[in-house]
Amino acid sequence: AQSVAQPEDQVNVAEGNPLTVKCTYSVSGNPYLFWYVQYPNRGLQFLLKYITGDNLVKGSYGFEAEFNKSQTSFHLKKPSALVSDSALYFCAVRDSRGGGYQKVTFGTGTKLQVIP
Amino acid sequence: GAGVSQSPRYKVAKRGQDVALRCDPISGHVSLFWYQQALGQGPEFLTYFQNEAQLDKSGLPSDRFFAERPEGSVSTLKIQRTQQEDSAVYLCASSPPGQGNTGELFFGEGSRLTVL
């Protein structure tokens, strides 16, 4: 079975400082990895994905994530945090094997609070 | 519409009542997913449609839950004889052809169900 762990329920960071939101995963085959953001009372919004290739993936709003196969991690990063980045962040994974459809599994989420 | 539309946004039901939640995906999106998001948790997969075919319903928690997409566009999630543990936000997501597994999911804003 595939799973995602987001070890921090909340991350606090000062505006202008770099931020990291951690994610580790478990999957039998090679992973497809995703980050989504959720603002209050809104649906999830796609940020970025890793399918194959370069381990550093760049996404929306200046976010990036680094895939580390040996550590089974896919941490979300941003060089300089904005107050408007405050939201709930979800990491997700699916197994690349088998082609066709396979379901995406989400983590429990990390609340990011950027302090002015 | 421009995005995934869900209705109602909020639903209060008495225990034992039946409810129906509607999802109108982005036009042309073949794949449609339903997720359940309990308070403070990540989205949990319920079911997946490709056009009108329900290819995966392994996440439906009981036989009280039923989903359909008869014409391959609008989908309805029905919950019979609601219980308090059914209280959650029900998220619908769609994805364009060829992207259902490796691309981004487009989420609606969700239907918040409260069972009293």
Side-chain angles (χ1 to χ4, degrees):
Chain A
Q2 60 196 35
S3 64
V4 173
Q6 293 183 244
E8 303 152 317
D9 289 338
Q10 182 160 336
V11 169
N12 297 321
V13 63
E15 187 177 24
N17 282 3
L19 69 87
T20 299
V21 181
K22 295 179 181 177
C23 170
T24 58
Y25 66 89
S26 174
V27 69
S28 299
N30 290 321
Y32 292 160
L33 293 156
F34 308 85
W35 275 101
Y36 285 82
V37 60
Q38 187 176 34
Y39 297 98
N41 297 314
R42 305 297 298 275
L44 278 71
Q45 195 174 328
F46 172 82
L47 277 180
L48 51 79
K49 67 181 178 184
Y50 170 82
I51 302 301
T52 187
D54 194 348
N55 289 345
L56 185 64
V57 178
K58 294 188 183 296
S60 307
Y61 312 120
F63 283 94
E64 57 189 28
E66 186 167 12
F67 170 62
N68 188 316
K69 187 172 184 178
S70 63
Q71 296 185 5
T72 61
S73 67
F74 190 57
H75 300 331
L76 181 69
K77 300 180 180 184
K78 187 173 182 181
S80 178
L82 300 173
V83 172
S84 57
D85 293 331
S86 298
L88 194 54
Y89 290 81
F90 291 96
C91 182
V93 69
R94 64 141 285 192
D95 196 324
S96 65
R97 294 179 307 168
Y101 156 76
Q102 290 201 44
K103 64 187 173 190
V104 175
T105 299
F106 286 82
T108 53
T110 299
K111 183 179 180 181
L112 174 66
Q113 190 77 36
V114 180
I115 303 162
Chain B
V4 177
S5 177
Q6 292 188 245
S7 62
R9 288 291 314 278
Y10 303 92
K11 175 69 178 178
V12 178
K14 292 182 179 179
R15 189 161 56 104
Q17 282 184 332
D18 298 348
V19 300
L21 308 176
R22 174 189 168 105
C23 173
D24 199 341
I26 294 171
S27 178
H29 280 199
V30 169
S31 300
L32 186 145
F33 303 79
W34 282 99
Y35 282 84
Q36 180 191 58
Q37 186 177 19
L39 190 63
Q41 300 297 313
E44 294 280 347
F45 170 81
L46 292 177
T47 188
Y48 164 69
F49 289 87
Q50 187 173 78
N51 295 306
E52 69 278 4
Q54 189 175 21
L55 298 187
D56 187 347
K57 55 181 181 179
S58 63
L60 296 176
S62 77
D63 59 6
R64 296 186 295 105
F65 286 71
F66 172 76
E68 60 183 5
R69 195 186 184 196
E71 297 179 358
S73 56
V74 171
S75 177
T76 303
L77 177 66
K78 298 179 179 178
I79 309 173
Q80 297 177 324
R81 304 181 303 281
T82 52
Q83 303 294 316
Q84 286 188 322
E85 61 263 28
D86 300 335
S87 296
V89 176
Y90 291 86
L91 295 169
C92 177
S94 68
S95 191
Q99 291 285 327
N101 299 320
T102 63
E104 60 187 283
L105 298 179
F106 294 79
F107 280 86
E109 295 190 334
S111 292
R112 182 181 296 275
L113 172 65
T114 302
V115 181
L116 303 178

